[in-house]
Every structure is written in structure tokens, then in C-alpha cells.
Amino acid sequence: MSVDPYMRGRMNDSKSYVPPFELGKVLDGGAVGEVVESRASTLKPGDVVVSNFGWREYFVASPEQLQPVSPEIQPLSAYLGALGMTGMTAWAGLNLVEVKAGDVVFISGAAGAVGNVAGQLAKLRGCRVLGSAGSSEKVNFLRKQCGFDAAFDYKTGPILEQLKLAAPDGIDVYFDNVGGEALEAALSVLRLHGRIIACGGISLYNDEKPRPGPANLGNIIGKRLTMKGFIVSDFLDRRPQFVQEVGGYFKAGKLKNEETVVSGIEQAVPAFIGLFAGKNVGKMVVNLRSKPAA
Ligand SMILES: NC(=O)c1ccc[n+]([C@@H]2O[C@H](COP(=O)([O-])OP(=O)(O)OC[C@H]3O[C@@H](n4cnc5c(N)ncnc54)[C@H](OP(=O)(O)O)[C@@H]3O)[C@@H](O)[C@H]2O)c1
């Protein structure tokens, strides 16, 4: 099963694009698993399906609530990462701001599930790709394994200074996963007609009071910037194109599915909380298999 930052928002009793979790009810979220018993003609034991029935080891569902996927893709958790919701977020976000060859793209939260795939896809499109992440291990992962042209640890100094060093001539696109200081720095270094894709703002999710916005929003006017927000679920009808393009890269060995796996449902809560402390490289997933794989 998947644990995701957006689940934090579901723990607030407020109106959003997804309803809050309810007290006394099982949580839900993305999961991939095997059918063990079936009364439906379209599914048989052993079939692999993606569902929204995470946070539990077994469940009963109707076929309409399940999406069959090929068992040939391994590990199956790739359907929660590069080939799943987070990979599709990276792909849809890049498309929305029309990322193209030659663009200089800066990605925050770059070593996470969305960020590392966004960076790899931008490289495949011929961009110069820069990333920020919260440790030297993650910076090395971005440079050495994901092909980023430059990466820095945002915890070691002001983001603006580090970004200016990585992009002395500015950036064309900012893929925002974290908000806050990173957004403010990006606003300062974006070039004329630059684009911001507002994907997430994890640095703000645990705030009890809203923080004042970036002090330099005026850059949007002077530099004629565009800032676009989106929610991946609005793009489900484009799944076939996503599967063809991103699935094709994965099968051809051009796209890596990095993940951090913890085992056992009792580890699901620490894994979720760990997202806010940077405990994951790539997609954070929880393996619910009761016995180790044979
Ligand atoms: N718009 C959509 O439809 C959509 C869909 C999926 C995800 N998202 C958003 O995309 C972002 C990334 O999601 P993900 O699933 O890929 O999660 P993720 O990046 O795999 O995991 C969260 C990462 O955020 C970083 N982080 C935590 N607290 C931070 C802070 N205070 N400041 C800066 N970075 C912090 C940590 O990495 P470090 O070690 O680098 O700090 C952590 O590993 C989130 O904001 C999420 O809400 C949006």
C-alpha cells in the first residue's frame, strides 16, 4: 500500500478535493495486490489489481472498484510509484506547463516519488534538470542515479543562494512539491515567461496557521510568469497515454522506479509520518505480505 503526503490534508476536518478521513472508519488510499477469491467472471484468483483499499490487508470489493494490471511488471509496487499515481502526477505536471527540450527545470522535493520521476522524464525530454532534497545521500541519488544535472541539499544553506549557483542564467520551469522558501527562491530566478507547476506544498502541511505567502509574488507580473495548479485525478482519462509513454520508458529500462519499502501494516503509520521527516528516497510503500516472498 501507498502512504502519501495528501493523506495529511485528509486528517483536517475541512472541505477539499478529497473528503476527510472519518473517525471510526478504516483509512483508504492506493494499494496493489492479488485477488485471493472471486465470484466475478472478470477476475480470478491470482489476478493483480490496483485499488483504493489501502490501510488493510484484505478487503471485499466489486470489479468496478478494481483496476487489473499486468503481473509482468515487477516489483508490483511500481504501480504505486513511477507507473502509478505519483508517476502520473509527474507526467501530467510536466505536460501542463509544456516542458520541452532546452528548458531549465528546477524541482523541489526532487528525491521523492513525484520529484524523481519528474526529473527523469524532464531529462528524457532534453531539459537541464536541477533538484533540491534534504540530505547528501538524496543529492547523490539525484545526480548519479536519476541523471539530474545539478542538485543541492536545501538544509545546508539558503535555497536562493544554492539555486543561483546551480542556475546562474535562471530557470524556465519550477516544479513545486514543497512551497514556502523553495517557491520564493524559484520566483526570484525564473526567467521572463517562466512557468510554475504547483503540485504540492509539503513544507506547509503541518502548519497550524497559514503562513504569509512568498514576499516576492510581484515577480509574476514583471516577468509575465504563469503559475498553474492541478490535481492528478483530473487526468485519469489520459491514463492510456501515460501508460504508453511512461510505461514504455520503464520497460525499455530508461526510467527507474525508486522506492523505500517498509514491512508490515504496523509500520504504516511510522511510514506515513516519515514522509514529513524525509525518511523516503523515491516512493514510500508498505509491504503487507504476511510472509516473506518465496
Ligand atoms: N497535485 C497532485 O495531484 C499531487 C499528487 C501527488 C502528490 N502531490 C504532492 O507532491 C508532493 C510530493 O509528493 P510525493 O508523493 O512525491 O511525496 P514524497 O516527495 O515522496 O515524500 C515527501 C518528501 O517531502 C520532503 N519534505 C518533507 N517535509 C518537508 C519540508 N518541510 N520541506 C521540504 N521538503 C519536505 C521529504 O524529502 P526531503 O528529505 O527532501 O525533505 C520527503 O521525503 C507533495 O507535496 C504532495 O502533496 C500532488
Side-chain angles (χ1 to χ4, degrees):
M1 59 169 267
S2 176
V3 288
D4 296 276
Y6 81 91
M7 293 169 174
R8 177 63 186 83
R10 298 188 69 188
M11 294 169 190
N12 296 338
D13 188 12
S14 55
K15 235 184 171 178
S16 180
Y17 60 92
V18 54
F21 291 127
E22 284 180 58
L23 289 178
K25 289 208 176 149
V26 181
L27 308 186
D28 55 42
V32 60
E34 202 177 287
V35 174
V36 286
E37 205 180 301
S38 174
R39 288 188 216 157
S41 57
T42 47
L43 290 168
K44 58 180 188 318
D47 285 353
V48 177
V49 292
V50 170
S51 78
N52 201 39
F53 291 98
W55 294 95
R56 66 202 88 188
E57 291 164 299
Y58 294 90
F59 57 85
V60 178
S62 63
E64 299 74 46
Q65 294 172 299
L66 306 171
Q67 182 199 340
V69 289
S70 164
E72 278 164 26
I73 298 279
Q74 291 291 334
L76 291 177
S77 48
Y79 289 114
L80 305 176
L83 304 186
M85 185 276 279
T86 51
M88 188 153 170
T89 303
W91 177 79
L94 294 176
N95 288 349
L96 275 170
V97 287
E98 296 173 7
V99 167
K100 56 180 189 315
D103 280 340
V104 179
V105 180
F106 168 50
I107 303 170
S108 58
V114 174
N116 91 85
V117 175
Q120 293 185 68
L121 291 176
K123 279 308 295 176
L124 286 162
R125 286 189 191 184
C127 303
R128 178 173 155 74
V129 180
L130 324 168
S132 63
S135 70
S136 55
E137 178 207 358
K138 291 185 181 188
V139 165
N140 279 339
F141 160 70
L142 294 173
R143 288 199 192 128
K144 300 203 171 120
Q145 297 189 50
C146 299
F148 279 55
D149 297 284
F152 59 85
D153 177 350
Y154 70 90
K155 292 182 177 164
T156 59
I159 297 178
L160 180 57
E161 280 175 22
Q162 302 202 67
L163 184 55
K164 277 184 175 165
L165 283 177
D169 299 323
I171 62 173
D172 300 294
V173 173
Y174 172 46
F175 195 115
D176 190 15
N177 286 313
V178 308
E181 187 192 340
L183 173 59
E184 193 161 298
L187 280 162
S188 287
V189 302
L190 273 155
R191 294 172 177 158
L192 202 65
H193 299 295
R195 296 99 80 199
I196 299 172
I197 184 73
C199 175
I202 193 165
S203 73
L204 315 170
Y205 292 174
N206 282 324
D207 284 0
E208 287 177 17
K209 279 195 202 142
R211 262 184 249 180
N216 58 350
L217 257 189
N219 277 297
I220 290 197
I221 307 161
K223 292 197 270 189
R224 290 81 151 172
L225 306 179
T226 306
M227 182 168 183
K228 209 171 221 175
F230 75 112
I231 295 296
V232 63
S233 51
D234 297 340
F235 295 86
L236 294 183
D237 60 331
R238 303 209 199 146
R239 213 183 125 69
Q241 288 114 288
F242 164 72
V243 170
Q244 193 182 13
E245 185 182 335
V246 179
Y249 285 141
F250 181 77
K251 281 187 201 151
K254 293 180 178 169
L255 180 84
K256 191 178 168 48
N257 175 61
E258 183 71 19
E259 57 185 17
T260 299
V261 186
V262 303
S263 288
I265 192 138
E266 66 287 351
Q267 290 306 317
V269 170
F272 169 71
I273 293 171
L275 293 171
F276 297 86
K279 299 274 190 221
N280 58 310
V281 181
K283 180 79 194 89
M284 181 76 103
V285 290
V286 184
N287 183 357
L288 301 177
R289 216 188 275 275
S290 44
K291 289 185 200 138

